[in-house]
Amino acid sequence: IEDDCPLKGTKKLNKTLSEKEDLNEKFLLQIERMYKLGIKKYPNCTRLRLSYAFFQMEWLKNKNKAY
């Protein structure tokens, strides 16, 4: 895990609902970060760009970033 990873320090198992929602948001941010790094490294990869667009629409409910 890199130094700026938002998932560092999230090892506690019994979490409240708000803590679980916060953890889910951190996971989504980390996934988005991975997509952006992948697109930066492989800018011509159509499959990666399409996958990122679907991720934006389905998980982040952000149609503007999907286009």
Side-chain angles (χ1 to χ4, degrees), residues 52-63:
Y52 179 60
F54 281 114
F55 170 75
Q56 286 290 330
M57 290 189 325
E58 295 294 321
W59 288 95
L60 301 182
K61 309 296 185 212
N62 191 341
K63 291 182 181 179

Side-chain angles (χ1 to χ4, degrees), residues 2-30:
E2 294 184 25
D3 290 336
D4 60 343
C5 178
L7 299 177
K8 268 191 163 180
T10 57
K11 294 181 181 176
K12 187 177 164 187
L13 294 178
N14 292 330
K15 297 185 182 299
T16 65
L17 182 59
S18 64
E19 288 174 322
K20 288 178 183 178
E21 289 172 350
D22 183 49
L23 184 58
N24 285 342
E25 188 171 324
K26 286 180 181 182
F27 276 122
L28 291 175
L29 288 173
Q30 182 63 16

